[in-house]
Amino acid sequence: MQTHTLAQFLATPAGREADAILRACVHCGFCTATCSTYQLLGDELDGPRGRIYQIKQVLEGQTPTRITQGHLDRCLTCRACETTCPSGVRYARLVDIGRHLVAQQVARPWSERLLRSALVRVAADPRRFGALLRLGRWVRPLLPAALAAKVPRWRPAGAWPAPRGRRRVLVLAGCVQSVATPLTNAAAARILDALGIDLIRRPQAGCCGALAYHLEAQPEGLDAMRRNIDAWWPEIEAGAEAILITASACASMVKDYGELLGDDSVYAARAARVAALARDPAEWLTTLDLTALGQPGHGRRVAFHAPCSLQHGQQIRGVVESILSRLGFVLTAVPDAHLCCGSAGTYSLTQPEIAGQLRTNKLAALQSDAPELIATANIGCQLHLEGGSRVPVVHWLELLDPGTGLAVDCRR
């Protein structure tokens, strides 16, 4: 693609990066075939190719409008287009830059500003979100059905095995997951304990930074990344082998720390080290002998929803399914598995109508082959799907958990 990016943008690292990404695009349109919003809305401007062209126009001096902002907002950043693209266009990075540029020129209505500010200040803070969640659970019986479905039921995490001085792996506590589904990380700790590995928590490490970063609060997102690096660094220096991140969206973000903090003279080297150590549970477990876990599946039928952040963001496809099959689970068919469920971080709150339609389509696909359970790999997908599913939805690590396994109460 030919570009005529303004000199004022080419004078900045982000502008030069965006220009280089634009030049890689050949307008082939393969991306539209796998774009969930284009498939749903049928509008070229709500597909990757159309959004790329809109960002190109902004970089070339055209004044963006609320319409431009709306088309960029409706992007799920699922990155399915990157998986499809034959030219290797780094679309997700381009849309982050484009949204930031548009936000500098287009004022949002007060209602949108208030919602986004609340999400950054509440959802990214486990203490605040935990207090809100406790209130929601307390009044859940009084809420309308649609709203009550958004409040996850309490499921106890169970005991976290004490470290025994063996191989050590760090874990990201996260923000929403740490209080909404604490069972996930506890299950990971018990699984690794059975395999002879200590899973270490660092209380100072919290939100991965994605929530703020993708809501145009990039300084807050970068600060969260620096805080995590500081929290993990003593354990890394002491020999921690990896950083396990049980939410696939967070894993995708932590793996980008080196790039996002590459211009930070204080944190660049450590950020690159953290990114190199970041692991999704699926890729870590494939390096281990899982014999000690036995065969917990016993032929149970499971539909696996592969989050976009797993299959497109991290490019990990078929690995979870392989592990579950080896451990005795029967994987049911899931049509159009490449399409997004509509969760996409905070998307289900900022774009509820589209998110709801995508969830309906995804649940129809997941439930089409009569599974007993739906398993996924990301907290956002888990809660979003759970709110509309007639089949229990769990994190796939719960299925391997020696502490609960399939005895876990998955009833909604």
Side-chain angles (χ1 to χ4, degrees):
M1 179 188 293
Q2 291 186 341
T3 60
H4 303 283
T5 301
L6 297 181
Q8 68 191 68
F9 295 126
L10 290 175
T12 67
R16 290 191 295 272
E17 183 180 6
D19 186 72
I21 296 171
L22 286 170
R23 287 176 176 269
C25 178
V26 296
H27 283 290
C28 66
F30 286 2
C31 54
T32 59
T34 54
C35 174
S36 294
T37 51
Y38 179 78
Q39 294 300 312
L40 192 66
L41 304 174
D43 187 337
E44 175 76 12
L45 296 179
D46 283 315
R49 184 169 59 181
R51 294 187 181 108
I52 286 172
Y53 196 77
Q54 290 172 90
I55 295 169
K56 176 179 182 290
Q57 289 179 313
V58 173
L59 288 167
E60 292 178 345
Q62 182 167 311
T63 302
T65 66
R66 278 287 292 158
I67 294 175
T68 312
Q69 192 169 56
H71 288 303
L72 296 184
D73 284 349
R74 284 195 287 274
C75 173
L76 294 144
T77 323
C78 68
R79 301 175 70 173
C81 56
E82 292 187 7
T83 297
T84 312
C85 181
S87 302
V89 175
R90 300 180 65 233
Y91 170 81
R93 179 60 184 148
L94 179 65
V95 83
D96 273 342
I97 295 170
R99 284 170 171 158
H100 183 67
L101 290 176
V102 171
Q104 291 177 325
Q105 300 180 56
V106 179
R108 291 187 178 277
W110 70 267
S111 56
E112 288 187 16
R113 295 199 303 271
L114 180 62
L115 174 60
R116 287 166 172 259
S117 176
L119 288 170
V120 171
R121 284 162 176 72
V122 177
D125 187 318
R127 294 169 300 176
R128 295 171 182 166
F129 184 77
L132 185 63
L133 183 58
R134 287 190 294 273
L135 175 62
R137 284 170 172 158
W138 186 67
V139 301
R140 193 178 197 268
L142 306 176
L143 298 175
L147 189 56
K150 296 181 181 294
V151 182
R153 294 184 182 275
W154 168 248
R155 293 167 57 198
W160 190 293
R164 294 192 247 170
R166 304 168 296 178
R167 297 173 62 186
R168 296 164 68 83
V169 174
L170 285 161
V171 67
L172 173 70
C175 47
V176 172
Q177 179 175 277
S178 66
V179 290
T181 60
L183 174 57
T184 301
N185 275 356
R190 289 188 288 267
I191 292 167
L192 290 186
D193 181 65
L195 300 176
I197 299 171
D198 295 333
L199 190 63
I200 306 301
R201 295 177 286 188
R202 295 289 292 180
Q204 304 90 335
C207 179
C208 68
L211 194 149
Y213 194 85
H214 294 308
L215 285 174
E216 297 157 10
Q218 294 184 357
E220 291 92 330
L222 295 173
D223 284 343
M225 299 174 202
R226 296 183 184 101
R227 182 190 62 241
N228 290 339
I229 293 169
D230 289 339
W232 288 327
W233 199 249
E235 288 289 343
I236 293 173
E237 289 188 310
E241 296 182 37
I243 303 169
L244 201 70
I245 303 145
T246 57
S248 59
C250 300
S252 186
M253 173 57 80
V254 176
K255 288 181 178 182
D256 283 343
Y257 276 17
E259 179 177 11
L260 296 173
L261 290 170
D263 294 327
D264 188 317
S265 60
V266 176
Y267 281 88
R270 282 183 288 168
R273 176 65 175 151
V274 164
L277 288 173
R279 295 287 185 277
D280 187 272
E283 53 187 342
W284 180 252
L285 289 177
T286 56
T287 69
L288 305 175
D289 180 0
L290 304 183
T291 305
L293 299 179
Q295 287 283 302
H298 302 295
R300 295 291 297 272
R301 293 173 60 80
V302 176
F304 180 67
H305 165 61
C308 299
S309 48
L310 184 72
Q311 61 173 319
H312 304 307
Q314 298 185 72
Q315 295 289 302
I316 298 173
R317 291 186 287 275
V319 180
V320 174
E321 297 92 325
S322 175
I323 293 172
L324 293 177
S325 295
R326 285 164 50 197
L327 297 180
F329 296 92
V330 175
L331 275 296
T332 62
V334 181
D336 294 323
H338 63 283
L339 295 178
C340 184
C341 72
S343 170
T346 59
Y347 191 93
S348 61
L349 299 175
T350 60
Q351 302 287 333
E353 183 177 347
I354 296 175
Q357 294 177 60
L358 292 173
R359 181 177 69 179
T360 297
N361 295 345
K362 178 58 69 174
L363 283 172
L366 288 166
Q367 295 171 159
S368 64
D369 197 19
E372 299 171 63
L373 296 166
I374 294 172
T376 188
N378 187 59
I379 173 63
C381 303
Q382 182 179 346
L383 298 183
H384 183 56
L385 293 172
E386 184 180 62
S389 178
R390 66 174 186 268
V391 177
V393 183
V394 300
H395 193 289
W396 72 276
L397 290 174
E398 296 177 44
L399 304 179
L400 281 56
D401 181 5
T404 55
L406 291 176
V408 66
D409 182 3
C410 297
R411 291 172 296 179
R412 298 181 58 243

